[in-house]
Amino acid sequence: KAGVTQTPRYLIKTRGQQVTLSCSPISGHRSVSWYQQTPGQGLQFLFEYFSETQRNKGNFPGRFSGRQFSNSRSEMNVSTLELGDSALYLCASSPSGSYNEQFFGPGTRLTVL
Amino acid sequence: AQSVSQHNHHVILSEAASLELGCNYSYGGTVNLFWYVQYPGQHLQLLLKYFSGDPLVKGIKGFEAEFIKSKFSFNLRKPSVQWSDTAEYFCAVNALRDDKIIFGKGTRLHILP
């Protein structure tokens, strides 16, 4: 079974731009969660989608948004990028949600210049 | 505010030494608890989890963790570490009432051969 895939793996943007990251979960998994990982803050929960609905959201500004499609693939969008948005963005999929048995992808390394 | 503390940021041990990594959380309600591991160059993966029942849980690769409710702790242990245990370890707490998940900032474990 293929694992969680994330594209692109690396991205360089400048301040003020926007970016869209993509995540394809393991086949059959209906829950997708997104996390931001930085050296100072560790892993911070962004949001979780289950069957195309956002079920939960962390404490991030509205510039961070996401969606999930009917095939469970998910996208995350960050608008008006700031230097502090530079991070590794991880996606995790789970069969049923509730953070049980999350399988993580390799992440997208975003650098904002 | 809910938080998860991993007291040891960086631990260095020799092979065959015993390991205990601390994890404490601040949340008074029912929780699910997790330890994740990230080996160099690999994805985050689940090491073990506690949902209910026996507070001593066993995970992969000889790891175990004990949930002590009165101390709000979920410490990770291994009686004899190997060089291949070199990795970063993350404790995570899922507070069921509001269905949030919070990760600790991680502990980098370095095993000397």
Side-chain angles (χ1 to χ4, degrees):
Chain A
K1 215 177 207 184
V4 177
T5 58
Q6 293 187 243
T7 56
R9 293 292 311 279
Y10 302 92
L11 207 48
I12 299 175
K13 292 285 188 180
T14 56
R15 280 182 299 174
Q17 288 187 307
Q18 76 162 20
V19 67
T20 299
L21 312 181
S22 181
C23 171
S24 292
I26 291 171
S27 177
H29 286 194
R30 296 166 65 188
S31 167
V32 173
S33 297
W34 288 90
Y35 298 86
Q36 182 194 66
Q37 185 177 17
T38 57
Q41 298 298 320
L43 268 106
Q44 293 184 282
F45 172 72
L46 280 154
F47 26 66
E48 186 219 357
Y49 285 87
F50 184 85
S51 293
E52 301 179 67
T53 301
Q54 186 181 89
R55 280 209 305 199
N56 220 328
K57 190 176 189 305
N59 298 324
F60 278 80
R63 299 185 297 106
F64 291 82
S65 63
R67 58 178 176 168
Q68 186 180 34
F69 302 95
S70 58
N71 61 359
S72 293
R73 190 177 70 85
S74 177
E75 286 182 348
M76 190 192 96
N77 185 276
V78 188
S79 63
T80 320
L81 284 166
E82 300 176 1
L83 295 179
D85 297 332
S86 294
L88 181 68
Y89 291 88
L90 295 171
C91 162
S93 79
S94 167
S96 57
S98 295
Y99 314 111
N100 183 19
E101 289 278 8
Q102 289 191 97
F103 294 83
F104 282 82
T108 294
R109 173 74 62 186
L110 171 65
T111 301
V112 181
L113 302 176
Chain B
Q2 298 159 24
S3 65
V4 177
S5 296
Q6 291 183 242
H7 314 295
N8 312 103
H9 299 296
H10 199 176
V11 173
I12 301 173
L13 294 172
S14 297
E15 274 193 310
S18 64
L19 169 72
E20 181 159 3
L21 301 183
C23 174
N24 284 88
Y25 63 92
S26 62
Y27 181 71
T30 305
V31 295
N32 290 335
L33 302 162
F34 308 86
W35 275 97
Y36 281 86
V37 61
Q38 187 167 31
Y39 297 104
Q42 295 188 26
H43 307 177
L44 264 172
Q45 59 182 280
L46 183 66
L47 201 53
L48 48 78
K49 63 185 178 184
Y50 171 81
F51 282 8
S52 63
D54 188 344
L56 184 63
V57 292
K58 296 193 184 299
I60 60 172
K61 304 189 181 186
F63 285 90
E64 65 180 31
E66 185 175 13
F67 171 45
I68 302 179
K69 190 174 181 179
S70 60
K71 294 185 177 180
F72 300 91
S73 71
F74 190 55
N75 292 354
L76 181 70
R77 300 195 294 245
K78 186 170 183 179
S80 177
V81 294
Q82 300 171 305
W83 178 78
S84 58
D85 293 325
T86 294
E88 189 161 15
Y89 293 80
F90 295 89
C91 177
V93 177
N94 172 211
L96 294 184
R97 186 170 63 192
D98 56 11
D99 206 23
K100 300 283 190 190
I101 185 163
I102 301 174
F103 279 76
K105 294 189 178 180
T107 297
R108 287 187 182 272
L109 176 64
H110 187 71
I111 307 298
L112 302 173

